[in-house]
Amino acid sequence: MFDEALALLPDTSSWVLYFTCALLIGMSKTGIQNIGSLAVPLFAILFGAKYSTGIVLILLALADLMGVIYYRKQLVWAEVLKLLPMALIGLTAALIIGKYIDDTAFKITMGACIILGIGIMLWMEKLGKTKQLTITNGKWYSPLFGFIIGFSTMIGNVAGPAVSVYLLTKNLNKYALVATGAWFIMILNYIKIPLQFFVWQNISWAGVLLNFIALPFIVLGGVLGIKLVKILPEKEFRITITCMVIISCVLMILI
């Protein structure tokens, strides 16, 4: 099985790219949300769009543990509970759709999820504070985002932009934003593991072993992420999150 895991990455450049992606995922779970989204199109290049979601999922699940343990006291459970019911419905819808589409359509759908997230973000930024508050307090707001997040996390582990847009509009401080996002995504990721293993069958034991080889880079990324959150002021932190959403969207479209 070890030889099979090594064979998933045929050359040195592939290994460098893979470990870089693991580093970014670690950083996204403890610091700069959405920087891990930069790894999504790169993983699609390495493994193919649909199969890559199985590889990425295990890495995310491992990285999730760092985020939720470190930021466990800053979690805002109320926001998680608002999102979760419709997120599970969105996840189920994506599970069914993903079973019947090919790799090209899968990649297009992944890109569309990111574009939707950034579109909502830009729209919200154009609204005044009063209108924005009215919208975010609407009964439909959290369920809508819950569905979008659930669908996008299942279809390609690309829920980061939608999660960030939602939490940014809730005006949480940077620690509460990271903690709440990490816990919510962790819950969804661990629900997805058996679904992708048994329904989509895109998680292999060789892939799991490959993930554990990357564990040191996930930990390193997690440490760097914690330091970045401490260094960045609140305003610059929010700007950085927004920039990561935009960059991840552009990468998915171009690659």
Side-chain angles (χ1 to χ4, degrees):
M1 186 182 297
F2 188 73
D3 290 339
E4 187 179 347
L6 296 179
L8 290 172
L9 296 170
D11 51 47
T12 303
S13 60
S14 297
W15 280 100
V16 172
L17 186 59
Y18 177 69
F19 288 142
T20 301
C21 290
L23 186 76
L24 293 174
I25 287 174
M27 292 176 66
S28 72
K29 292 302 179 179
T30 60
I32 309 302
Q33 284 193 348
N34 288 310
I35 198 170
S37 297
L38 302 179
V40 173
L42 302 179
F43 273 117
I45 292 173
L46 286 174
F47 305 108
K50 190 169 185 179
Y51 185 73
S52 71
T53 63
I55 298 288
V56 176
L57 178 57
I58 301 300
L59 281 175
L60 290 171
L62 293 172
D64 283 332
L65 295 175
M66 290 190 301
V68 299
I69 291 171
Y70 189 81
Y71 293 111
R72 60 191 180 278
K73 295 182 180 180
Q74 286 82 19
L75 167 67
V76 181
W77 264 115
E79 296 299 341
V80 174
L81 295 176
K82 288 178 186 176
L83 293 168
L84 192 56
M86 286 303 295
L88 295 177
I89 294 175
L91 188 152
T92 303
L95 179 70
I96 296 169
I97 292 171
K99 180 72 174 176
Y100 297 103
I101 60 176
D102 60 21
D103 205 62
T104 300
F106 198 91
K107 183 180 178 181
I108 292 171
T109 309
M110 289 167 67
C113 288
I114 295 180
I115 291 170
L116 179 61
I118 195 171
I120 294 173
M121 179 187 69
L122 294 174
W123 174 61
M124 292 294 290
E125 285 182 353
K126 288 183 178 181
L127 299 176
K129 287 291 183 182
T130 303
K131 286 186 177 180
Q132 193 176 102
L133 188 62
T134 301
I135 290 172
T136 56
N137 288 336
K139 292 182 179 180
W140 58 270
Y141 188 73
S142 295
L144 174 63
F145 264 94
F147 183 87
I148 293 171
I149 292 167
F151 187 91
S152 57
T153 193
M154 188 72 217
I155 208 67
N157 300 308
V158 290
V163 172
S164 293
V165 171
Y166 177 82
L167 295 177
L168 284 170
T169 59
K170 289 295 182 174
N171 293 315
L172 302 177
N173 67 59
K174 60 184 179 180
Y175 294 108
L177 190 150
V178 173
T180 305
W183 272 92
F184 179 54
I185 292 299
M186 185 196 73
I187 292 169
L188 295 181
N189 282 340
Y190 278 87
I191 291 172
K192 285 157 51 184
I193 289 175
L195 297 177
Q196 291 197 216
F197 191 88
F198 293 107
V199 180
W200 283 359
Q201 298 179 347
N202 65 341
I203 296 178
S204 66
W205 291 113
V208 173
L209 180 57
L210 186 67
N211 294 156
F212 278 98
I213 294 173
L215 192 56
F217 293 89
I218 295 174
V219 174
L220 177 60
V223 173
L224 292 174
I226 290 169
K227 292 185 180 297
L228 282 172
V229 171
K230 290 180 178 179
I231 292 171
L232 285 174
E234 196 76 40
K235 181 179 179 181
E236 283 71 14
F237 177 81
R238 296 174 74 87
I239 291 172
T240 303
I241 293 282
T242 303
C243 289
M244 290 300 102
V245 174
I246 295 171
I247 293 171
S248 62
C249 179
V250 171
L251 276 176
M252 181 57 71
I253 294 171
L254 294 179
I255 298 177

